[in-house]
Amino acid sequence: MNSEAIPRLQRWYLAQCNGEWEHNRGVSITTLDNPGWSIDINLSGTDLESKVFETVERLEHQDEWIVCQRTPTQFQGRGGPLMLDRIIAIFLEWADESSGP
């Protein structure tokens, strides 16, 4: 488990807050009924809005499956009940890579 994932996501979120973005966009973390996690992060108005994301899909294990993809306006992460930390880490790794030169 990466104990820094949540604090790093909080910092990323705060950096996006500009008086407008947080009112109509943001980060949503919910549970799935199969069971698992769902994370949607709105990319509109962020530095990631035009960055390419390579889909991540690992479906080998019932509790540790994961699918992360990008739509035109969102990062979407879905995963098993043990994968919340990993979904967040995948997003943050992409965000960090995308912020480079």
Side-chain angles (χ1 to χ4, degrees):
M1 182 168 160
N2 177 356
S3 62
E4 281 297 305
I6 297 290
R8 286 179 58 213
L9 181 61
Q10 291 175 144
R11 288 190 296 272
W12 182 88
Y13 168 78
L14 181 59
Q16 308 317 303
C17 294
N18 63 6
E20 291 183 32
W21 183 85
E22 64 274 16
H23 292 283
N24 299 314
R25 301 175 184 107
V27 176
S28 173
I29 300 175
T30 59
T31 55
L32 301 170
D33 63 1
N34 57 341
W37 294 99
S38 172
I39 299 178
D40 293 324
I41 301 174
N42 193 300
L43 304 174
S44 298
T46 74
D47 291 342
L48 301 174
E49 185 172 24
S50 62
K51 304 297 182 181
V52 174
F53 178 79
E54 296 290 328
T55 297
V56 174
E57 186 172 308
R58 296 185 196 107
L59 305 172
E60 306 86 37
H61 191 275
Q62 181 178 348
D63 291 334
E64 297 178 6
W65 63 274
I66 193 166
V67 177
C68 295
Q69 61 189 8
R70 194 209 144 117
T71 71
T73 60
Q74 287 188 336
F75 170 90
Q76 296 178 334
R78 308 292 185 264
L82 302 176
M83 300 306 288
L84 178 60
D85 190 68
R86 184 67 192 129
I87 294 168
I88 294 170
I90 288 169
F91 170 76
L92 292 169
E93 288 164 10
W94 174 59
D96 288 348
E97 288 171 9
S98 295
S99 65

